[in-house]
Amino acid sequence: CLVLLSLACIASFANTSDGQSDGCKIYDITHTVKNNMPTFGSLLGAKDVIKEFQGQATITGTITVGTHLGTHVDAPSHIFPGLLGQPGFTVDALDLKTLMGSVLVVETPKDKNITSEVMQSLQIPPGTKRVIFKTSNTDNRLMDKGFFVPSYTGFTATGAQWLVLNTNITFVGIDYMSVAVYDEVVRVHTTLLS
């Protein structure tokens, strides 16, 4: 099972056999949920996250957002709804060992989607289990926009297929709300989460 993490929240952390930290530094690159934060597929962004209550800004009340907001994890049931309720296929049942540990951060070529050719060119070392892909999405500050940008950089179907067939990667992170390019969301998720 491959876990997809958009805007990965845990990196460069490993435990020793006795359960203690091995001294690696933890980098928290999560995005704070806030008003007008982009939400996948929506031009509206997050609403009602911070409201004024009795003259004071507070975080209370109703949060109106889609589930694809900021830092999140996609489990297999995300793309295969028939797996809902099946052991091990929902976010709450994911093995935390998959999500935690050392991670390789690779920068992809500017303004290029992650195709099979791009994957080959990245020369990811054999045995790598976790990878975060830093793309043009970061340079273009897409997470700072108050709306969803459908022209973001992500995996194409050929890139996803190459990753599955040629690596042992079990964790994929990317710097926007979907690992897949907008026009191939279902195909890429199906390939990666199968």
Side-chain angles (χ1 to χ4, degrees):
C1 168
L2 181 71
V3 175
L4 309 179
L5 181 63
S6 297
L7 304 169
C9 61
I10 300 173
S12 297
F13 181 81
N15 283 331
T16 59
S17 59
D18 63 0
Q20 300 299 309
S21 170
D22 70 357
C24 290
K25 184 170 176 149
I26 297 174
Y27 295 92
D28 182 356
I29 57 174
T30 55
H31 284 269
T32 302
V33 176
K34 59 187 177 190
N35 285 335
N36 298 318
M37 182 178 206
T39 302
F40 185 83
S42 172
L43 294 178
L44 300 176
K47 298 291 178 212
D48 298 330
V49 176
I50 301 172
K51 291 183 173 183
E52 189 168 304
F53 180 73
Q54 297 178 350
Q56 175 69 39
T58 61
I59 299 174
T60 185
T62 303
I63 298 176
T64 307
V65 297
T67 56
H68 273 71
L69 171 83
T71 310
H72 68 276
V73 174
D74 288 345
S77 62
H78 166 59
I79 202 70
F80 303 111
L83 295 176
L84 279 173
Q86 299 293 321
F89 292 103
T90 55
V91 171
D92 62 316
L94 290 175
D95 184 350
L96 291 179
K97 290 177 185 171
T98 302
L99 301 174
M100 294 174 53
S102 297
V103 65
L104 174 67
V105 178
V106 294
E107 192 161 349
T108 64
K110 298 292 178 216
D111 300 316
K112 282 188 150 191
N113 285 316
I114 305 169
T115 62
S116 59
E117 293 81 16
V118 167
M119 283 299 298
Q120 287 174 318
S121 75
L122 295 174
Q123 299 181 350
I124 295 171
T128 300
K129 294 288 186 191
R130 295 176 201 85
V131 180
I132 295 175
F133 294 86
K134 182 179 180 240
T135 72
S136 299
N137 299 330
T138 296
D139 296 333
N140 296 331
R141 302 184 57 87
L142 295 188
M143 288 304 297
D144 294 332
K145 306 221 181 270
F147 53 89
F148 174 71
V149 178
S151 59
Y152 61 88
T153 299
F155 271 86
T156 65
T158 65
Q161 188 69 32
W162 193 95
L163 182 141
V164 168
L165 294 176
N166 296 286
T167 74
N168 294 317
I169 295 170
T170 57
F171 170 103
V172 172
I174 199 161
D175 53 358
Y176 202 52
M177 289 173 282
S178 179
V179 70
V181 295
Y182 191 67
D183 293 340
E184 299 183 41
V185 166
V186 173
R187 287 176 56 201
V188 170
H189 279 77
T190 300
T191 298
L192 294 176
L193 292 172
S194 290

